[in-house]
Amino acid sequence: MSRKFIIRRLGVFSIFLEPSRLRAFARSSELGLIFAAAVVGVVSGCVVTGMSLISQAMHRSIFQLDDGVRLSSIAAADWTLLFLAPIAGGAVLGLLLFVLTRYRKKPMVDPIEANALHGGRLSLNDSLIVAAQNLISNGFGASVGLEAGYTQLASGFASKIGLLLQLRRADLRILVGCGASGAIAAAFNAPLTGSFYAFELIIGSYAIVSLAPVIVAALISNLVARAFAADNFLIEIGNFGSVIPADYIPALMLGFLCAGAGILLMKGVAFVEETARKSFIPPYLRPLIGGALVGGLALVTPQVLSGGHGALHLNLDQQGTMMAVLGILLLKALASAISIGSGFRGGLFFGSLFMGALLGKLFAFFAALVFAHTTFTPVTYALVGMSALAVSVIGGPLTMTFLALEITGDFPIMVLVLAAVITASVTVRNTFGYSFATWRFHLRGESIRSAHDVGWIRNLTVGKLMRADVRTASVHTSVKQFRQDFPLGSSQRVIILDDNGKYVGIVLVPEAHAGVTENSDEDKLITDLIRYQNDFLQPEMNAKQAARLFDETESEALAVVNDFIERRVVGLLTESHTLRRYSEELDRQRRSAAGEI
């Protein structure tokens, strides 16, 4: 039986046997993108399950834990292992960093940066390396979660699938969001949380065209993870009372408190990183020292180790003293800052949830004395603090609100959490202006505030927009000779060069033909008519920067030079062409977001 006969018999399903038809189906049909998202969902569920099981196996093997016991909740352990394991992890990670610094020069791109600057193009090899680093860090007990590795690897596979299908820029960005959506949905048994994580943090906007693929990826990934790992990812919250209007006042106050704590945590990580960078310690030795410090903190309490899943449940179930809760909170914050600042790979997603729960329980000690008419229980304060601190660090108000809803299944509690989350989010945005990810971009010199697609602006460069066929004249040319060489109508403007070919300025041809009529004046050099001597563009500038320079210089066209030193003219760009192309791209982006193209 021939291949062609089989394809004819399969009818519409034959697209799955023909790569070219499959690519066309994915590019031309919304159903095709949904199908691709479903595949990404399956991959994401497998990624989360696999990484989680590997991490738990490492914990059991390295720390000699019993089955079902979480590292951060152990009561008795070998204190030597608690101290030495993070050091060993730092040594292994340092060796990997040493190898990477010799063979890889480019920084690794995460999903937010990929969608903001590169149209969803994310290296799968880099994603595998990041996931391996995250597993080493978490598996040896560093105070980092696995969520960064989950989203990086799932998004890396999603980007690879999208590139194989040759998806358009907008669709590729959506598919990368599907990978992150599936990863978070599987990690927390929370499809809505994963979906809004993608909308708010990875795609950067919500659109009807992206709704179905993102939701499908989240649902399928969650089902796959539940099939493999059952209740391995569940967060269980205790009982809490009903919500009354008086409960909103302490919730809002806790939101303000969490905003301040989140800013301090992010600045603490940046301080440790800056201190390590300015020190004499080479990068590949920093994880070793960081591991020793984390190991020392683990001797005080093992709750600082790893992401903190076990410690979170331990503290939700038990009622500790105020000093005990405060101590664990400070030690966990310090361990997280040291771990990330010293070079361990991971994120603060679950760490911020754990620290937020501790901060909420700490707030409950004072709230019981001040707010006598509320129905808040310590567990309720913990839930509100958990969401508010997480949004302060990670961002995504609706993401954290839906996480509270999917954990509790209680709508009134969700509304209460929403009030605290919005308070924390607005406070951080207006006083600090960054989430943890965008703060690190800022420290690196990038101006990314979200995953909103700004890469197309950077791709619309002066070098791509300019005309290379420019007319030039020497700075020693007389007005008479200039008129002869460039009669009216021959050109609008001429670029003037010195003896070494360097840019001097621009002369407008109509101006050279106006104002001077006597022969004695025609022997003057053209230098008196030169404009824009120090105003020019460079090929790497984007259209937005060029438009700003046109506005500042009040010019209709500017020369393009190769650099500030050599000043060799490589082209000419007009304001009208720049604004027209910029407007066309803006309109294309708008229509793409609306699903019109």
Side-chain angles (χ1 to χ4, degrees):
M1 190 178 295
S2 69
R3 177 183 174 86
K4 291 183 178 179
F5 175 78
I6 295 174
I7 290 175
R8 283 199 306 270
R9 296 292 294 176
L10 286 174
V12 68
F13 296 103
S14 65
I15 59 173
F16 302 121
L17 296 181
E18 291 288 339
S20 59
R21 296 186 65 186
L22 183 59
R23 286 193 292 269
F25 175 61
R27 284 174 56 88
S28 62
S29 168
E30 185 177 352
L31 291 176
L33 184 59
I34 293 173
F35 170 76
V39 175
V40 169
V42 174
V43 173
S44 300
C46 294
V47 164
V48 172
T49 304
M51 289 186 64
S52 176
L53 294 178
I54 291 172
S55 173
Q56 291 179 34
M58 291 178 69
H59 291 165
R60 288 194 300 270
S61 174
I62 295 169
F63 294 92
Q64 299 180 2
L65 304 181
D66 296 329
D67 290 341
V69 176
R70 293 281 191 172
L71 174 59
S72 57
S73 63
I74 55 177
D78 186 332
W79 299 106
T80 304
L81 285 177
L82 288 180
F83 178 68
L84 294 180
I87 299 176
V92 173
L93 187 62
L95 179 62
L96 180 58
L97 289 174
F98 178 76
V99 174
L100 290 175
T101 54
R102 293 177 65 87
Y103 295 100
R104 300 189 67 86
K105 302 301 181 183
K106 295 191 301 181
M108 297 185 189
V109 176
D110 76 351
I112 295 177
E113 188 177 0
N115 266 7
L117 299 180
H118 308 295
R121 291 179 174 270
L122 189 62
S123 168
L124 181 56
N125 290 337
D126 285 357
S127 298
L128 288 167
I129 292 172
V130 170
Q133 291 176 319
N134 196 184
L135 277 172
I136 293 170
S137 302
N138 181 277
F140 281 90
S143 191
V144 294
L146 285 171
E147 292 76 25
Y150 293 156
T151 55
Q152 179 79 35
L153 189 52
S155 298
F157 275 113
S159 181
K160 186 67 173 180
I161 292 170
L163 291 172
L164 290 174
L165 293 174
Q166 299 178 3
L167 295 182
R168 298 178 181 86
R169 181 188 185 95
D171 292 341
L172 183 59
R173 294 181 72 252
I174 292 173
L175 205 62
V176 169
C178 291
S181 169
I184 297 300
F188 292 96
N189 188 31
L192 286 176
T193 301
S195 300
F196 278 89
Y197 180 90
F199 292 134
E200 294 184 303
L201 300 174
I202 305 300
I203 300 174
S205 62
Y206 167 82
I208 295 298
V209 69
S210 62
L211 177 63
V214 169
I215 293 289
V216 166
L219 289 172
I220 290 180
S221 178
N222 187 50
L223 291 174
V224 170
R226 297 291 76 75
F228 283 118
D231 297 335
N232 194 42
F233 303 96
L234 296 181
I235 299 176
E236 296 179 358
I237 301 293
N239 296 322
F240 36 79
S242 59
V243 176
I244 62 175
D247 293 335
Y248 283 87
I249 297 177
L252 295 176
M253 292 187 64
L254 182 53
F256 282 117
L257 180 62
C258 288
I263 293 172
L264 288 176
L265 180 60
M266 288 185 281
K267 287 195 170 184
V269 173
F271 174 76
V272 174
E273 283 184 323
E274 183 67 10
T275 302
R277 187 182 65 81
K278 291 181 177 179
S279 70
F280 63 89
I281 306 170
Y284 55 86
L285 289 181
R286 293 170 193 169
L288 184 67
I289 298 173
L293 295 175
V294 172
L297 295 176
L299 296 179
V300 181
T301 172
Q303 294 188 41
V304 303
L305 295 174
S306 190
H309 287 75
L312 174 63
H313 291 102
L314 188 66
N315 283 274
L316 289 175
D317 294 338
Q318 297 178 359
Q319 183 63 39
T321 64
M322 182 177 68
M323 294 307 297
V325 174
L326 177 61
I328 295 171
L329 173 61
L330 294 177
L331 290 172
K332 179 62 178 177
L334 182 59
S336 298
I338 291 172
S339 295
I340 297 175
S342 63
F344 282 103
R345 180 70 77 161
L348 288 174
F349 196 123
F350 201 93
S352 63
L353 293 175
F354 174 38
M355 287 182 276
L358 293 174
L359 188 60
K361 293 195 73 172
L362 193 63
F363 185 78
F365 288 104
F366 300 96
L369 303 175
V370 178
F371 305 104
H373 301 291
T374 69
T375 61
F376 261 25
T377 64
V379 173
T380 309
Y381 280 115
L383 178 66
V384 173
M386 187 169 67
S387 302
L389 184 60
V391 81
S392 301
V393 176
I394 306 300
L398 290 177
T399 301
M400 301 308 167
T401 303
F402 279 112
L403 179 60
L405 175 63
E406 291 181 294
I407 288 174
T408 64
D410 190 296
F411 187 78
I413 288 291
M414 188 205 79
V415 177
L416 187 70
V417 167
L418 180 61
V421 160
I422 292 299
T423 301
S425 178
V426 170
T427 302
V428 171
R429 193 166 61 249
N430 285 276
T431 58
F432 188 61
Y434 301 93
S435 66
F436 181 61
T438 55
W439 171 241
R440 291 166 72 82
F441 293 146
H442 168 73
L443 294 177
R444 212 173 68 198
E446 288 284 359
S447 57
I448 306 172
R449 292 299 185 95
S450 71
H452 183 74
D453 190 8
V454 296
W456 66 270
I457 299 176
R458 299 193 180 191
N459 290 334
L460 196 64
T461 61
V462 169
K464 293 180 179 179
L465 296 174
M466 70 180 188
R467 287 173 43 199
D469 56 330
V470 296
R471 307 196 70 178
T472 62
S474 170
V475 71
H476 302 298
T477 304
S478 66
V479 173
K480 180 179 180 180
Q481 184 64 43
F482 187 90
R483 288 180 171 184
Q484 293 175 356
D485 294 341
F486 306 102
L488 281 173
S490 63
S491 180
Q492 286 292 319
R493 53 194 62 82
V494 175
I495 296 175
I496 307 302
L497 307 176
D498 66 9
D499 294 336
N500 296 318
K502 285 188 176 183
Y503 172 77
V504 175
I506 294 177
V507 170
L508 302 181
V509 173
E511 285 188 2
H513 284 269
V516 180
T517 59
E518 298 181 4
N519 291 336
S520 60
D521 290 336
E522 289 182 347
D523 292 333
K524 287 185 175 180
L525 295 179
I526 202 70
T527 51
D528 292 339
L529 300 178
I530 293 176
R531 294 185 174 200
Y532 316 122
Q533 289 94 328
N534 297 310
D535 299 317
F536 46 80
L537 302 168
Q538 290 186 277
E540 64 270 15
M541 288 181 174
N542 60 53
K544 191 174 182 179
Q545 293 170 321
R548 187 184 303 117
L549 193 57
F550 283 128
D551 187 55
E552 291 173 355
T553 59
E554 298 180 355
S555 60
E556 295 180 358
L558 287 173
V560 184
V561 303
N562 62 333
D563 57 46
F564 284 100
I565 305 300
E566 191 175 351
R567 289 170 64 131
R568 179 172 56 82
V569 176
V570 295
L572 181 78
L573 182 62
T574 63
E575 182 183 31
S576 59
H577 180 64
T578 303
L579 294 179
R580 183 174 71 252
R581 287 287 292 114
Y582 186 66
S583 298
E584 289 172 354
E585 284 297 321
L586 277 176
D587 182 62
R588 193 179 69 83
Q589 292 294 320
R590 179 195 61 78
R591 289 186 290 117
S592 177
E596 297 176 8
I597 58 175

